[in-house]
């Protein structure tokens, strides 16, 4: 029997701006990547989402990001590794405080958006994220792409690493996610998404987009 963890980004509303249906998703997923205020999310929303997750027995993860509320964390921020490590420490710490109030715990870290994609290939920023996780709590796991630089560095540092596949995102032939700026980056057909998930589970493979001729 193969065990499958289904995770989803949550807590990404901000003030009066609502995004997603966290309560519905929490009846389906087994882990929740909760925004920590840098790309989305505010304290009240974080507390509400983590409370819902605790009530449903859903594992809580810190969805850390570059400091980019206006761009929803999808823009690369060329900050120093020291500043990035501090930002990640701050976000994890904020969610851990919220989780304690909701009588649950943060169990893993999943970087978001531009940070997620950047540390798949960038040694400097990847090392900063690993340093931040270890500084807060070495028992925290990292959720990342297969073959990522940050996954390798995290394992070398003694962290637990879990690797994921996306049901609704297009892949390049080298295993990276297609940029959201490109057409077809997000798969919207439910039947196609279901077929992709079935292939991931049964074959352990994802469907990559063909190389485009220049």
């Amino acid at each position: 029997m193969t065990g499958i963890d289904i995770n989803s980004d949550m807590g990404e509303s901000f003030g009066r701006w609502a995004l997603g249906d966290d309560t519905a998703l929490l009846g389906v997923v087994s882990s929740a990547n909760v925004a920590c205020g840098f790309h989305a999310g505010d304290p009240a929303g974080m507390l509400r989402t983590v409370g819902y997750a605790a009530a449903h027995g859903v594992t809580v993860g810190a969805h850390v990001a570059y400091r980019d509320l206006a761009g929803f964390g999808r823009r690369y921020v060329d900050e120093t590794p020291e500043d990035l490590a501090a930002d990640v420490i701050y976000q994890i710490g904020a969610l851990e405080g919220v989780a304690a109030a909701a009588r649950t715990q943060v169990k893993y870290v999943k970087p978001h958006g531009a940070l997620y994609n950047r540390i798949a290939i960038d040694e400097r920023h990847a090392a900063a994220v690993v340093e931040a996780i270890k500084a807060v709590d070495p028992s925290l796991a990292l959720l990342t792409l297969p073959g990522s630089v940050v996954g390798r560095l995290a394992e070398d540092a003694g962290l637990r690493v879990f690797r994921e596949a996306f049901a609704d995102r297009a892949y390049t032939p080298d295993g990276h996610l297609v940029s959201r700026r490109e057409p077809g980056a997000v798969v919207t057909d439910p039947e196609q998404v279901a077929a992709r998930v079935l292939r991931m589970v049964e074959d352990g493979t994802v469907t990559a987009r063909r190389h485009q001729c220049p």
Side-chain angles (χ1 to χ4, degrees), residues 102-148:
R103 303 295 188 267
T104 187
Q105 291 180 307
V106 176
K107 293 294 189 180
Y108 67 95
V109 176
K110 179 186 174 181
H112 163 81
L115 179 60
Y116 183 92
N117 291 322
R118 187 71 186 187
I119 60 178
I121 58 174
D122 186 315
E123 293 263 352
R124 292 170 62 251
H125 278 198
V129 170
V130 171
E131 175 190 332
I133 296 172
K134 284 198 67 177
V136 175
D137 183 355
S139 73
L140 291 171
L142 172 73
L143 184 59
T144 185
L145 279 174
S148 66

Side-chain angles (χ1 to χ4, degrees), residues 11-188:
E12 293 183 322
S13 298
F14 190 86
R16 296 179 63 185
W17 181 72
L19 178 67
D21 188 346
D22 290 352
T23 54
L25 280 172
L26 284 165
V28 177
V29 301
S30 47
S31 58
N33 318 315
V34 182
C36 301
F38 271 36
H39 75 281
D42 55 36
M46 291 164 65
L47 183 59
R48 185 168 53 250
T49 302
V50 171
Y52 290 157
H56 285 78
V58 172
T59 302
V60 173
H63 204 29
V64 301
Y66 288 125
R67 190 191 299 266
D68 180 28
L69 273 175
F72 200 68
R74 289 179 178 160
R75 300 180 294 191
Y76 170 58
V77 178
D78 189 18
E79 57 184 328
T80 66
E82 293 78 14
D83 285 346
L84 176 58
D87 283 351
V88 172
I89 289 170
Y90 181 91
Q91 292 175 81
I92 297 172
L95 192 65
E96 286 193 329
V98 168
R103 303 295 188 267
T104 187
Q105 291 180 307
V106 176
K107 293 294 189 180
Y108 67 95
V109 176
K110 179 186 174 181
H112 163 81
L115 179 60
Y116 183 92
N117 291 322
R118 187 71 186 187
I119 60 178
I121 58 174
D122 186 315
E123 293 263 352
R124 292 170 62 251
H125 278 198
V129 170
V130 171
E131 175 190 332
I133 296 172
K134 284 198 67 177
V136 175
D137 183 355
S139 73
L140 291 171
L142 172 73
L143 184 59
T144 185
L145 279 174
S148 66
V149 169
V150 72
R152 171 174 55 80
L153 294 181
E155 286 185 328
D156 290 345
L159 297 178
R160 291 179 300 142
V161 178
F162 295 97
R163 294 171 174 85
E164 66 176 345
F166 287 76
D168 62 348
R169 290 294 305 278
Y171 281 85
T172 65
D174 59 0
H176 295 296
L177 297 176
V178 173
S179 170
R180 288 181 180 270
R181 296 184 178 88
E182 298 185 27
V186 179
V187 181
T188 58

